[in-house]
Amino acid sequence: MIPAAFDYVRAGSASEAIAALAEHGDEAKLLAGGHSLIPLMRFRLARPAVVVDIGRLDDLKYIRDAGDHVAIGALTRHRDVETSELVANRAGLLGEVTSHVGDPQVRHRGTIGGAVAHGDPASDIPSALIALGATLVAAGPQGTREISVDDFFTGFLETALGDDELLTEVRIPATDGARWGFEKFNRRAQDWAIVGVSVVVRAGGEAGVGLVNMDSRPVRAAAVESAVAGGASAAEAAELAAVGCDPTEDLNASVEYRQHLARVLTRRALETAGL
Amino acid sequence: MEISVTINGTTHTHDVEPRTLLVHYIRDVVGLTGTNIGCDTSSCGACTIHINGESVKSCTVFAVQADGDDLLTIEGLAEGETLHPMQESFRQCHALQCGYCTPGMVMAAVSLLDENPDPTDREVRLGLEGNLCRCTGYHNIVKAVLHCAAGGEQ
Ligand SMILES: Cc1cc2nc3c(=O)[nH]c(=O)nc-3n(C[C@H](O)[C@H](O)[C@H](O)COP(=O)(O)OP(=O)(O)OC[C@H]3O[C@@H](n4cnc5c(N)ncnc54)[C@H](O)[C@@H]3O)c2cc1C
Ligand code: FES
Ligand code: FES
């Protein structure tokens, strides 16, 4: 279908984008890679009056070694994360998870910032950011602020970002020497995960576990993390994967089936991560 | 809004509505109908073209986003009467039946080999994950891509 008509604004800088958001309020939507927003607009599930294109903000396309963390500009495409040697060496889980997003065409356009700001519980990348304990950097009229990934996802397609804020950077604490596992269950190639899980086991043995599609927002499997900290085996810890989660039922899976998948996939991912 | 895009080496300038999808611009405004539309859900890949050398689903891009970009469509692949090696491999390996998915398949396959010149069978299948063939002719499509990677002709 053809999207509803809108006014198009091309932002030449981050501050222009923030000014456009301040001017148009919740009438406006940012457009990064467009691979979540355009499909919604084609179904007219989204019909913003103003689209602010940030796709050309080249100074927000970077992957940098910042010592204790890897800093990734919000407009960095999935393809660039997936093929980055720095990401592979210092945030390997994120590189692997990104390589499972959609298909090559999607990864040539979609951005890490868009995948995070969209707040989709079925998206793969947030699960990796939760496991890795990322920090998100947002810029608005009042300046910039840092948001822990644990405070970022507030509901279905809802995040802690204000209407007038732009996500500028994703910071991933470096996990040199870590091992990781990613499991994604779907019925057809290219589909979104029915359930997915990202696991990192850091060099000191501490685990981070993030779940895909197990709640109305991307969530941390805190019970699994504590069980690993307490010396549980992969099988014992994975039994707790669905604790505290409130998954939905849909055409693909019942609540019980999702809970079952979470336990099985978490065990496999923990085992892949060497537990 | 006025945009200028280079398609297969020729620069086109037009005034377009912001909501115009790139695939509609290419087909209906520029008149290059080799790029197909097979779905409404960004799933099928029939509309795959190259933007600045990389495969993209042109139904999931607004034409205004491509302003200033360098596009390649299936019409721009052959050199005159000489088919591109990927097109030639598809012909030799019988990698098409009805042909509807073929322009997108070929464009995705060329991009795949640009990024990974010597892929395994599995890498080809994963690399073409975004392209559906309703005739289900995947076996020969994969064969054609491997044939092209191995130098074509035999
Ligand atoms: C066919 C297909 C298959 C896919 N499969 C998967 C999959 O398997 N797994 C998966 O995880 N994802 C999948 N995706 C989604 C893909 O990863 C998207 O690229 C990503 O979710 C959104 O990134 P984007 O840059 O395209 O964002 P856009 O669509 O441009 O934006 C998405 C939302 O985020 C907002 N936004 C974007 N950037 C910023 C910013 N810097 N600051 C504030 N707000 C911002 C926008 O306003 C919009 O609301 C798929 C997409 C398609 C089309
Ligand atoms: S028409 Fe573009 S993916 Fe189907
Ligand atoms: S050849 Fe008919 S859809 Fe692929």
Side-chain angles (χ1 to χ4, degrees), chain A residues 117-174:
Chain A
H118 195 51
D120 189 338
S123 175
D124 300 312
I125 290 171
S127 72
L129 300 188
I130 288 173
L132 291 163
T135 299
L136 293 320
V137 183
Q142 264 73 52
T144 62
R145 63 184 180 122
E146 295 175 15
I147 310 168
S148 154
V149 71
D150 288 304
D151 301 325
F152 190 80
F153 301 106
T154 52
F156 183 70
L157 304 187
E158 282 176 17
T159 70
L161 284 176
D163 281 341
D164 54 0
E165 279 184 312
L166 173 77
L167 182 67
T168 54
E169 189 174 277
V170 178
R171 295 184 181 157
I172 321 279

Side-chain angles (χ1 to χ4, degrees), chain B residues 46-62:
Chain B
C47 63
T48 301
I49 63 162
H50 293 184
I51 299 184
N52 303 327
E54 292 174 314
S55 60
V56 169
K57 292 175 174 176
S58 61
C59 71
T60 314
V61 178
F62 290 120

Side-chain angles (χ1 to χ4, degrees), chain B residues 3 15 17 21 35 39 44 47 54 76 82 90 94 101 104-105 110-112 117-118 121 129 137 145:
Chain B
I3 60 165
D15 196 24
E17 254 195 287
L21 296 169
T35 304
C39 73
C44 76
C47 63
E54 292 174 314
T82 313
F90 266 60
H94 306 284
C101 69
M105 274 299 175
V110 170
S111 181
L112 166 66
D118 188 20
D121 178 279
E129 212 177 345
V145 179

Side-chain angles (χ1 to χ4, degrees), chain A residues 9 11 24-25 40 45 48 70 86 88 100 130 198 203 230 234 248:
Chain A
V9 178
H24 300 288
L40 285 181
L45 293 170
V70 177
L86 176 59
H100 289 275
I130 288 173
S198 285
T248 52

Side-chain angles (χ1 to χ4, degrees), chain A residues 21 28-40 52 54 57 60 74-78 97 100-103 106-107 109-120 122-126 137 152 159 161-162 165-169 184 186 190-193 212, chain B residues 41-44 57 60 65 130:
Chain A
L21 290 177
K29 269 277 174 203
L30 294 172
L31 177 70
H35 272 52
S36 289
L37 185 58
I38 295 174
L40 285 181
V52 180
I54 54 174
L57 300 187
L60 292 181
L75 271 299
T76 308
R77 301 173 315 152
H78 301 325
V97 170
H100 289 275
V101 168
D103 52 55
V106 169
R107 298 196 295 275
R109 294 294 291 187
T111 67
I112 188 167
V116 182
H118 195 51
D120 189 338
S123 175
D124 300 312
I125 290 171
V137 183
F152 190 80
T159 70
L161 284 176
E165 279 184 312
L166 173 77
L167 182 67
T168 54
E169 189 174 277
K184 172 174 177 174
N186 53 20
Q190 185 212 57
D191 263 359
W192 297 72
V212 185
Chain B
T41 50
S42 307
S43 331
C44 76
K57 292 175 174 176
T60 314
Q65 288 177 280

Side-chain angles (χ1 to χ4, degrees), chain A residues 195-221:
Chain A
V195 172
V197 60
S198 285
V199 166
V200 65
V201 177
R202 295 184 180 79
E206 187 204 347
V209 184
L211 295 167
V212 185
N213 232 347
M214 278 301 287
D215 214 308
S216 58
R217 58 198 175 89
V219 285
R220 178 182 295 284

